């Protein structure tokens, strides 16, 4: 049920409400989501508040996630650098982008371009040393 945290995190931050997931989930996800909410609150305190996250049934399967990362990806220089750094380090990674955060909700063209236009493995300039 970890996905539910990321799905609802921005909504909870906007409404200043904690997240309690009925189901099994990782304690590490709770900590990470809280840290992300603190960062967003520092960047945009008028729009976002830090929130706490918990699961009805906490699980400790963090050892399965070793070496995996998730990158909030906007398509900009900073997130591209972070993704590239993780890729070159050989880490497994997932991307999370939210339509309406880095791209305006009515800017479907740019968001679709982001979703469909990036394939790092086919980029010639990405070579491991």
């Amino acid at each position: 049920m970890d996905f539910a945290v990321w799905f609802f995190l921005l909504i909870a931050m906007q409404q200043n409400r904690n997240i309690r997931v009925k189901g099994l989930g990782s304690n590490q996800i709770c900590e990470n989501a809280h840290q992300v909410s603190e960062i967003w609150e520092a960047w945009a305190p008028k729009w976002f508040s830090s929130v706490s996250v918990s699961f009805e049934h906490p699980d400790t399967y963090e050892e399965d996630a070793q070496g995996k990362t998730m990158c909030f990806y906007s398509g900009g220089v900073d997130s591209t650098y972070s993704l590239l750094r993780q890729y070159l380090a050989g880490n497994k990674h997932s991307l999370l982008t939210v339509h309406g955060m880095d791209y305006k909700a009515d800017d479907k063209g740019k968001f679709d371009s982001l979703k469909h236009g990036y394939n790092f493995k086919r980029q010639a300039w990405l070579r491991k040393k």
Side-chain angles (χ1 to χ4, degrees), residues 9-62:
L9 184 62
L10 291 174
I11 296 166
M13 290 165 42
Q14 287 177 328
Q15 296 182 3
N16 193 21
R17 298 183 67 172
N18 294 328
I19 298 173
R20 173 84 170 159
V21 178
K22 291 186 177 183
L24 181 68
S26 162
N27 289 324
Q28 187 65 51
I29 293 292
C30 295
E31 292 173 29
N32 292 347
H34 178 70
Q35 286 180 329
V36 166
S37 74
E38 289 179 322
I39 291 167
W40 275 105
E41 181 181 42
W43 283 341
K46 291 181 182 177
W47 294 289
F48 300 109
S49 299
S50 63
V51 297
S52 295
V53 177
S54 61
F55 288 94
E56 183 179 33
H57 303 289
D59 194 4
T60 56
Y61 57 84
E62 284 83 15

